[in-house]
Amino acid sequence: MKTNPLNFDVIIIGGGLAGLSSAIHLSKSKLDVLVIEKNSYPKHKVCGEYISNEVLPYFEFLGIDVFKLGAKKINRFELSTPKNKVVKANLPLGGFGISRFCLDFELSKKATDNQAIISQDTVEDIQFLNDRFSVKTKLTTYTSTIVIGAYGKRANLDVKINRNFIKNKSPFLAVKTHLIGNFPEDLVALHNFDGGYCGLSKVENNSINVCYITDIEAFKKHRDIEDFQQKVVFKNSALKAVFKNSKSVFKTPLTISQISFETKNPIENHIIMCGDTAGMIHPLCGNGMSIAIRSAQIASLLIIQFFNGEIKDRQALEKQYLREWNTEFKSRLKTGHIVANLFSKNRIAEVLISITKLIPSILPQIIKRTHGKIMTVK
């Protein structure tokens, strides 16, 4: 029994993929874990909802079978340009499509099954003093030895702890919806349009997840989402065909703005950052969910070693996490920046597509550079 219900070994701020995966992993090792999440489950999120198969062994370790949940197996990739040039490839590892509505909910249930506590609350401040954290929320104040930041792309907490990237405005807006219509279950498609790109793949319940990102200034020139889609997005004939021959599941699309792809520090004020909170790969590369899950595994394994005495102190823990984060993700994020920058220039994108048609092996190699290897479970 816990002697102090407000004191924990680990507090995780954010109950998305990274936060919940860490909560399950750490609680399996009998650590006292608190997840603080502002939203209730289940909830839709703006997300590409495609995950590389590299995470499957780790999900098995966590006790999650995505295919029993209805996930769609995906092994083909298709890319088109604003001028409707198309290139296709087989995915080197393959992947699957599943909604965050479904997956986050199942992860949350597994976390509570393993005795982690999930509190629907909002963190207002974090202080680190005398080798302990004090986490103030709207409802109360908790203490812990370790804090994991897994609260997503951008939050008020980033301002509070004075993170560098938050000082710069980001020009990107993302829109996500689910459609019912004809779309291959084994395909993830990425269709470019002037000023942005849109990802499509099937998820459970036969829904097509549609998520696109665009420049917010370009978007503001139009009346609303419908007007923007009609005049810009649908110039890509593949996107027009999907939308015109489908029915919307959502009453209104979900949107988020101020999406930052700038470099972030994986350690801030002794907080271990995971997932998008530590660094975000361009959605163009379609692998952000896998990175979130892998970062959770890295953090969890090191934190367990810290509590077991295998890592001698906090400084050693932070150095090792930073080292492993950079080894695993730095090259992937850099490649993502380069690829996104090239495809943001329409003329260059058209040339690149022509080259990949002539040399088909190029596209799988680019995909490999933005994806990891099959995760091992220790």
Side-chain angles (χ1 to χ4, degrees):
M1 294 290 291
K2 282 173 61 66
T3 57
N4 184 348
L6 300 179
N7 179 54
F8 293 85
D9 294 320
V10 182
I11 293 176
I12 302 170
I13 303 169
L17 291 178
L20 292 171
S21 296
S22 286
I24 298 168
H25 194 154
L26 295 169
S27 58
K28 281 169 68 74
S29 288
K30 307 305 179 185
L31 294 175
D32 291 324
V33 179
L34 170 68
V35 178
I36 304 173
E37 166 57 42
K38 63 181 180 180
N39 297 306
S40 60
Y41 300 99
K43 179 181 172 61
H44 285 289
K45 291 184 177 180
V46 177
C47 180
E49 300 188 334
Y50 163 81
I51 309 181
S52 166
N53 280 340
E54 65 198 74
V55 308
L56 288 176
Y58 188 53
F59 268 177
E60 183 179 356
F61 166 77
L62 297 180
I64 300 293
D65 186 337
V66 293
F67 299 111
K68 283 186 177 179
L69 301 174
K72 304 297 184 182
K73 294 181 179 180
I74 296 171
N75 53 42
R76 294 190 297 125
F77 174 68
E78 181 177 284
L79 174 69
S80 72
T81 70
K83 291 186 177 181
N84 300 303
K85 286 186 179 179
V86 178
V87 64
K88 301 177 181 181
N90 291 325
L91 292 167
L93 286 179
F96 56 92
I98 188 168
S99 74
R100 296 293 298 277
F101 185 90
C102 173
L103 182 55
D104 288 16
F105 186 39
E106 291 300 319
L107 288 168
S108 72
K109 290 191 291 184
K110 183 63 67 173
T112 54
D113 287 347
N114 283 319
Q115 308 306 311
I117 295 174
I118 301 177
S119 173
Q120 189 178 348
D121 200 352
T122 300
V123 174
E124 295 183 334
D125 193 21
I126 305 172
Q127 297 293 328
F128 182 76
L129 185 65
N130 297 325
D131 210 35
R132 298 283 298 171
F133 285 98
S134 174
V135 179
K136 183 179 182 296
T137 72
K138 284 186 176 181
L139 301 178
T140 189
T141 298
Y142 302 97
T143 59
S144 68
T145 304
I146 298 290
V147 167
I148 294 175
Y151 47 83
K153 302 168 182 66
R154 192 180 186 100
N156 290 334
L157 193 56
D158 290 314
V159 178
K160 194 74 178 180
I161 61 178
N162 198 33
R163 300 187 78 189
N164 285 331
F165 84 91
I166 202 73
K167 299 169 185 175
N168 301 318
K169 285 190 174 183
S170 175
F172 299 109
L173 167 78
V175 179
K176 174 254 184 74
T177 191
H178 278 182
L179 304 174
I180 295 294
N182 291 323
F183 189 85
E185 287 191 358
D186 65 342
L187 176 70
V188 58
L190 190 66
H191 297 305
N192 288 255
F193 54 86
D194 191 19
Y197 43 87
C198 179
L200 302 96
S201 58
K202 277 281 189 78
V203 295
E204 79 286 348
N205 297 326
N206 212 35
S207 294
I208 309 166
N209 182 64
V210 180
C211 189
Y212 64 82
I213 189 166
T214 187
D215 185 281
I216 196 165
E217 293 303 319
F219 179 83
K220 285 179 179 177
K221 295 175 182 178
H222 302 271
R223 292 194 309 272
D224 51 29
I225 289 175
E226 183 65 27
D227 186 53
F228 177 74
Q229 289 177 175
Q230 291 287 342
K231 294 178 179 177
V232 180
V233 176
F234 292 173
K235 287 184 178 179
N236 183 303
S237 59
L239 289 172
K240 183 177 181 179
V242 171
F243 275 89
K244 293 297 183 182
N245 295 294
S246 302
K247 293 183 179 180
S248 180
V249 176
F250 296 175
K251 288 183 178 180
T252 56
L254 305 179
T255 62
I256 56 170
S257 59
Q258 291 292 309
I259 304 168
S260 177
F261 302 110
E262 292 192 29
T263 301
K264 302 176 183 178
N265 292 325
I267 300 285
E268 294 273 13
N269 298 358
H270 304 288
I271 302 167
I272 296 173
M273 303 298 187
C274 288
D276 289 346
T277 316
M280 186 176 173
I281 195 167
H282 276 265
L284 182 70
C285 301
N287 203 33
M289 295 172 75
S290 300
I291 287 177
I293 294 159
R294 174 65 176 127
S295 68
Q297 184 195 39
I298 293 171
S300 299
L301 288 170
L302 293 176
I303 289 168
I304 291 166
Q305 291 175 35
F306 172 77
F307 277 99
N308 288 344
E310 298 169 58
I311 295 178
K312 63 179 182 178
D313 55 29
R314 188 181 303 277
Q315 184 180 20
L317 169 65
E318 293 174 6
K319 283 184 175 180
Q320 186 62 26
Y321 180 70
L322 185 59
R323 187 180 300 114
E324 294 195 21
W325 167 271
N326 285 329
T327 298
E328 188 74 27
F329 304 122
K330 194 171 182 178
S331 177
R332 286 201 237 177
L333 297 179
K334 185 177 180 180
T335 301
H337 278 282
I338 294 169
V339 171
N341 186 50
L342 291 173
F343 274 93
S344 68
K345 299 174 175 62
N346 290 345
R347 288 184 180 179
I348 295 176
E350 299 290 339
V351 172
L352 288 173
I353 289 293
S354 298
I355 293 172
T356 55
K357 279 192 167 186
L358 291 171
I359 312 173
S361 62
I362 290 177
L363 191 54
Q365 288 302 315
I366 294 173
I367 294 170
K368 282 183 179 180
R369 288 187 64 85
T370 59
H371 288 61
K373 297 178 181 178
I374 294 291
M375 292 170 65
T376 57
V377 179
K378 299 177 181 179

